[in-house]
Amino acid sequence: FYRFSQLPKEKRAQKAGKWARAFRKSFDFPDVDIREIVGREKEISTLVQSIDYHIVRDPETIKAFKVPPPKVFVIKGGTGTGKTYLARAVQKEAFERGIAEGVVVKPQTVKASEIFSMFYGASAARLASTLDTMFSTPSVILIDEAQQFMLHGSASGQEGEGSSENVRVESELLQKVDLLQKKPIRAILIFATDKYENLLPTLRRRSVPMDMD
């Protein structure tokens, strides 16, 4: 990615356009559009501004913000309220905006079923490796069903219960959130959950909630 980023914008746009055609044909490419979503203009605008600032690095957007916009968001709401739909639509919008500027912004998703393992320590290690890989390229990362990564959390807000493996996963996730917020990583994180109260208080404090109910 570093070598690609050093190319002139015209060459980057040309290469990105070629890659874009292949990406759009991939089985997991988002097939939804933000223009199909009604009544969520504020949420979409907030997410797109963060994408333009942190990932696309649009000069006009950067100039408009005295303080960098957030990079971590939680879309919350009941089943069927369109949480994942909104996140996927924003991923597609980020991809298309990036292509126009010669930047390939990958739509990436993390699912608990692909992370958790029966072997001690493997889940946290897999999560760390997965996010490190995603952070290495411009990305909009969706962590779907986020509460599944926080079995240690509870509605009471207590963080002292649960298995040691769950604690390791939660700790690793919070470390990656901290890394993303402190470093100039070209990515944003979108958590989607229907059990916002089960997320760790630390994550709730470090993210911007978006209520779909």
Side-chain angles (χ1 to χ4, degrees):
F1 171 73
Y2 176 77
R3 290 194 298 272
F4 172 75
S5 67
Q6 302 308 302
L7 294 173
K9 181 179 178 180
E10 294 75 16
K11 289 189 176 181
R12 282 192 285 112
Q14 185 178 19
K15 284 182 175 290
K18 291 181 180 179
W19 292 338
R21 288 190 286 274
F23 268 107
R24 292 189 187 104
K25 293 178 182 178
S26 62
F27 77 95
D28 59 346
F29 186 78
D31 59 353
V32 294
D33 194 287
I34 60 171
R35 281 157 283 279
E36 299 171 359
I37 299 174
V38 179
R40 298 297 174 187
E41 291 78 9
K42 181 180 179 181
E43 290 85 354
I44 290 172
S45 176
T46 298
L47 289 163
V48 168
Q49 286 176 343
S50 183
I51 289 163
D52 284 345
Y53 188 100
H54 294 292
I55 305 177
V56 178
R57 293 184 176 171
D58 172 60
E60 291 301 317
T61 302
I62 293 173
K63 185 178 179 181
F65 281 86
K66 294 182 179 180
V67 177
K71 299 174 81 173
V72 182
F73 305 86
V74 177
I75 302 177
K76 61 190 180 93
T79 303
T81 54
K83 302 180 297 295
T84 302
Y85 193 91
L86 173 60
R88 295 287 281 169
V90 169
Q91 285 182 320
K92 182 178 180 181
E93 179 68 13
F95 179 83
E96 300 300 345
R97 295 173 86 87
I99 292 300
E101 296 297 324
V103 180
V104 179
V105 183
K106 291 185 177 180
Q108 309 213 64
T109 302
V110 181
K111 298 180 180 179
S113 60
E114 299 170 351
I115 297 298
F116 282 95
S117 168
M118 67 177 68
F119 301 106
Y120 182 76
S123 302
R126 188 176 295 167
L127 177 62
S129 175
T130 297
L131 289 176
D132 282 340
T133 299
M134 292 180 175
F135 285 174
S136 68
T137 58
S139 302
V140 175
I141 303 166
L142 166 63
I143 298 186
D144 208 6
E145 300 295 333
Q147 71 278 359
Q148 294 184 12
F149 290 88
M150 300 177 199
L151 302 176
H152 180 233
S154 67
S156 66
Q158 295 178 349
E159 301 182 21
E161 302 173 0
S163 73
S164 58
E165 182 67 0
N166 291 336
V167 173
R168 288 166 66 94
V169 169
E170 293 165 3
S171 176
E172 193 63 57
L173 184 57
L174 291 178
Q175 286 182 46
K176 295 307 178 186
V177 167
D178 190 54
L179 179 69
L180 177 64
Q181 292 177 323
K182 289 182 178 179
K183 300 290 184 180
I185 296 170
R186 299 180 77 162
I188 68 168
L189 268 174
I190 302 175
F191 293 85
T193 182
D194 59 0
K195 292 181 173 62
Y196 182 71
E197 68 280 0
N198 283 11
L199 301 190
L200 293 172
T202 303
L203 177 61
R204 297 202 299 264
R205 289 193 298 268
R206 295 183 183 180
S207 60
V208 175
M210 295 181 168
D211 198 338
M212 299 292 284
D213 287 328

